[in-house]
Amino acid sequence: MKYSIDHKSPIPLHIQAEELLRSMIAEEEFQNGKLLPNEVDLAKVLAISRTTLRQAINKLVFEGLLIRKKRTGTKVNQATVSSKSNNWLSFSQEMKLRGITIKNFELHVTWVYPDEILANFFEIKTDRKVLKMERVRGRSDEPFVYFISYFHPRIGLTGDEDFKRPLYELLEMEYSTVATLSKEEISAHAADDIIANKLRITNGSPVLFRKRFVFDQGERPLEYNLGYYKADSFVYTVESRR
Amino acid sequence: MKYSIDHKSPIPLHIQAEELLRSMIAEEEFQNGKLLPNEVDLAKVLAISRTTLRQAINKLVFEGLLIRKKRTGTKVNQATVSSKSNNWLSFSQEMKLRGITIKNFELHVTWVYPDEILANFFEIKTDRKVLKMERVRGRSDEPFVYFISYFHPRIGLTGDEDFKRPLYELLEMEYSTVATLSKEEISAHAADDIIANKLRITNGSPVLFRKRFVFDQGERPLEYNLGYYKADSFVYTVESRR
DNA sequence: GAAATTAATATGTACATACATTACTACAAA
DNA sequence: TTTGTAGTAATGTATGTACATATTAATTTC
């Protein structure tokens, strides 16, 4: 069986089902509009109840990844090209979901002294070094984002970690640190020398700038992240209700 | 009983329950952190099954309006209350809050035929005219945003309204149309001739571009709004929790 | 051949039920 | 005072079942 579910695992079945559906979604044939197996059959194959399967599907429908249609079936939502704000997929996962393979152009990890702003956010003194990570990423030979991240020393990162793994997974698995709250500020800027160079664009070109403050469960500061996106390569979507 | 559900109504019970929860959420005491009735009891009071009630609660939890906690209960997510409602301040209110007085530079109102995209969003034919509003606003003698808005003919705007009043107030008071859902896309662009001219910047300068789809209670399309903000004059903030 | 009818098939709604897990409370033991 | 333990109250997980509804596809009728 290609897909299967472990009934003995402590991980809830609907979560397993959700993960499984996500990997199905990532597959090319479903990306191209092929219908997923119908609920009754799929539930039978996975040996879970239809209710449980629907719980998993519902979540993805809500996220906008799947679309249901009566008498027809359920398929991947092709219209959803842009990302949802409250979905916490990491950058690479997000891109993978859209069939874009990410290439890392640069990856520098160093220890630096924080400036005033950073020390203030982390609630530490400026003589305590923090881990800084710089990263340029993009598709094929075209970089489109330049990230700078600072991590709170509390986490316990050494700098020798495998930063090619999804970041939040790394933090969650290895350092039992879970990012639960993020405050972001988005604005447009003109690229300065450094950024223009990293993104291979001309000085003064537009970039989307995202500043991100990430907190853990206890609302303690975790990460300070700056992202410079080449214009038109990134669309930020927000949905709000009152 | 204050809250109740009509079992004879053709509207699904879980939808009725959802609406009911929304009105509970709107109440002050719950806004202030009071726990909702527990699921078992509430289901009993409403005479629906716990499963059905959970279906309704789940949706609101997904939306981030409610937060569940084991052994404690379910309550309104206070973090979203503040930031979300902030999001819904109108432009001039928002600016007033920051001590900036807004000046209107241009205000054009015309009737135009919608293009394909707009007609599709409004779910109307391309031969039905819609109201278009263009606006340049800023502080003292410096314009910093160029808005283009299209309004659904259903609303009943004539074009002779006083558009200097706050927009959402106008719609709510005079046309009993309440905007409840907005989907936004934010990206960075280079200004073209038209935009550069409106904002008095040079061609190719960075602008923050915000595309906004606004819906009413019934999720029917209301307004399509394009906003071009001069770089550094506008920061978009988002807060999200998982 | 066109229009109306019927059947089939997928998701949609709803219930009753059971046990698991989490985390708070209170009390007892060390 | 601290630590352990049992009880309890809430949400979390999961199943089986039944019928409703919408939409496509096939069939019959005109």
Side-chain angles (χ1 to χ4, degrees):
Chain A
M1 202 70 68
K2 191 171 176 188
Y3 297 113
S4 71
I5 279 193
D6 180 6
H7 281 255
K8 274 168 255 160
S9 160
I11 297 164
L13 301 184
H14 76 268
I15 300 284
Q16 289 188 51
E18 185 191 325
E19 291 307 318
L20 192 149
L21 285 167
R22 283 192 199 278
S23 55
M24 287 178 84
I25 285 170
E27 278 179 42
E28 201 175 349
E29 50 180 339
F30 295 118
Q31 288 271 353
N32 292 340
K34 195 192 166 194
L35 291 169
L36 298 181
N38 78 66
E39 296 178 355
V40 178
D41 288 351
L42 188 55
K44 204 168 284 173
V45 170
L46 301 178
I48 58 175
S49 74
R50 186 177 162 217
T51 321
T52 303
L53 176 58
R54 268 180 79 81
Q55 199 177 339
I57 296 176
N58 276 335
K59 193 160 173 197
L60 301 179
V61 168
F62 191 86
E63 279 181 23
L65 261 64
L66 293 178
I67 287 190
R68 308 173 113 133
K69 216 175 153 191
K70 276 189 197 173
R71 169 61 222 255
T72 307
T74 303
K75 63 173 185 183
V76 174
N77 181 1
Q78 267 158 317
T80 309
V81 188
S82 43
S83 79
K84 236 179 151 179
S85 67
N86 49 337
N87 125 8
W88 275 75
L89 292 174
S90 75
F91 182 72
S92 41
Q93 283 175 302
E94 222 171 281
M95 292 301 150
K96 195 176 167 191
L97 215 60
R98 292 178 214 163
I100 299 171
T101 313
I102 287 307
K103 199 183 149 193
N104 284 302
F105 286 83
E106 287 183 39
L107 177 55
H108 289 303
V109 179
T110 50
W111 288 92
V112 298
Y113 290 109
D115 62 13
E116 279 295 327
I117 296 164
L118 185 56
N120 185 46
F121 170 58
F122 276 173
E123 294 164 0
I124 58 172
K125 292 196 176 141
T126 48
D127 61 0
R128 183 149 179 219
K129 280 191 171 179
V130 297
L131 192 69
K132 176 182 181 180
M133 185 179 81
E134 285 176 280
R135 216 167 203 187
V136 179
R137 312 179 90 179
R139 66 193 304 180
S140 57
D141 61 346
E142 181 195 14
F144 62 77
V145 60
Y146 172 43
F147 280 129
I148 305 169
S149 270
Y150 299 91
F151 297 97
H152 198 290
R154 188 188 336 102
I155 302 170
L157 290 168
T158 64
D160 294 326
E161 287 82 5
D162 176 17
F163 287 102
K164 278 163 199 153
R165 284 177 61 185
L167 200 54
Y168 292 101
E169 185 189 298
L170 178 77
L171 293 177
E172 212 162 317
M173 294 294 151
E174 310 298 331
Y175 297 89
S176 50
T177 302
V178 185
T180 49
L181 172 64
S182 112
K183 296 184 185 179
E184 315 184 12
E185 297 178 3
I186 295 138
S187 53
H189 283 293
D192 63 18
D193 284 339
I194 296 165
I195 294 158
N197 183 266
K198 300 274 186 196
L199 297 179
R200 299 186 197 162
I201 54 182
T202 58
N203 197 310
S205 300
V207 289
L208 188 73
F209 174 50
R210 177 169 77 168
K211 203 191 279 189
R212 202 175 194 181
F213 303 89
V214 184
F215 301 82
D216 70 2
Q217 301 104 315
E219 308 230 346
R220 297 186 305 178
L222 266 190
E223 184 199 349
Y224 178 60
N225 177 267
L226 308 173
Y228 299 89
Y229 296 85
K230 201 160 131 180
D232 302 319
S233 70
F234 189 72
V235 176
Y236 200 87
T237 72
V238 183
E239 196 176 308
S240 62
R241 209 179 277 270
R242 68 162 181 181
Chain B
M1 206 66 70
K2 192 169 175 188
Y3 297 112
S4 70
I5 278 193
D6 180 6
H7 281 255
K8 274 168 256 160
S9 161
I11 298 164
L13 301 182
H14 73 269
I15 301 285
Q16 289 187 51
E18 186 192 324
E19 289 309 317
L20 191 148
L21 285 166
R22 282 191 200 280
S23 53
M24 286 179 83
I25 285 170
E27 278 179 43
E28 201 175 346
E29 49 180 339
F30 294 118
Q31 290 270 350
N32 292 339
K34 194 191 166 194
L35 291 169
L36 298 183
N38 79 64
E39 295 178 354
V40 178
D41 287 351
L42 188 55
K44 203 168 285 173
V45 169
L46 301 178
I48 59 175
S49 74
R50 186 178 161 217
T51 322
T52 303
L53 175 58
R54 267 181 78 82
Q55 201 177 337
I57 297 177
N58 275 333
K59 194 162 175 197
L60 301 179
V61 170
F62 271 141
E63 281 180 21
L65 260 66
L66 293 179
I67 287 190
R68 307 173 115 131
K69 218 177 153 191
K70 275 190 197 170
R71 170 62 221 256
T72 308
T74 303
K75 62 172 184 180
V76 174
N77 181 357
Q78 239 134 351
T80 58
V81 174
S82 49
S83 75
K84 284 270 165 68
S85 49
N86 248 348
N87 258 338
W88 277 89
L89 290 173
S90 76
F91 181 73
S92 37
Q93 283 174 301
E94 221 170 288
M95 292 300 147
K96 200 175 166 188
L97 214 62
R98 295 181 206 166
I100 299 170
T101 312
I102 288 306
K103 197 183 152 193
N104 284 304
F105 285 83
E106 288 183 39
L107 176 55
H108 289 302
V109 179
T110 51
W111 288 91
V112 299
Y113 291 109
D115 63 12
E116 279 294 327
I117 295 163
L118 186 56
N120 186 47
F121 169 59
F122 276 173
E123 293 163 2
I124 59 171
K125 293 199 176 138
T126 48
D127 61 0
R128 183 151 178 215
K129 280 191 171 178
V130 298
L131 192 69
K132 176 183 181 179
M133 185 179 81
E134 286 176 280
R135 216 171 203 184
V136 178
R137 311 178 92 179
R139 66 194 304 179
S140 58
D141 60 346
E142 180 196 15
F144 62 76
V145 59
Y146 172 43
F147 280 127
I148 305 170
S149 270
Y150 300 91
F151 297 95
H152 198 289
R154 189 189 335 101
I155 303 169
L157 289 169
T158 63
D160 294 326
E161 287 82 5
D162 175 17
F163 288 103
K164 278 162 200 154
R165 284 178 61 185
L167 200 54
Y168 292 101
E169 185 189 298
L170 178 77
L171 292 177
E172 212 163 316
M173 294 295 150
E174 309 298 332
Y175 296 88
S176 52
T177 302
V178 185
T180 49
L181 171 65
S182 109
K183 297 183 184 178
E184 314 184 13
E185 298 178 3
I186 296 138
S187 53
H189 282 292
D192 63 18
D193 285 339
I194 297 164
I195 294 159
N197 183 265
K198 299 275 186 196
L199 297 179
R200 300 184 196 164
I201 54 181
T202 59
N203 198 310
S205 299
V207 289
L208 187 74
F209 174 50
R210 177 169 77 168
K211 204 191 278 188
R212 201 174 195 183
F213 302 89
V214 184
F215 301 82
D216 71 2
Q217 300 104 316
E219 308 230 345
R220 297 186 304 179
L222 265 191
E223 183 198 351
Y224 178 60
N225 178 267
L226 308 172
Y228 298 90
Y229 297 84
K230 201 161 132 179
D232 302 320
S233 70
F234 188 72
V235 177
Y236 201 87
T237 66
V238 183
E239 193 175 310
S240 64
R241 208 179 279 268
R242 71 163 180 181

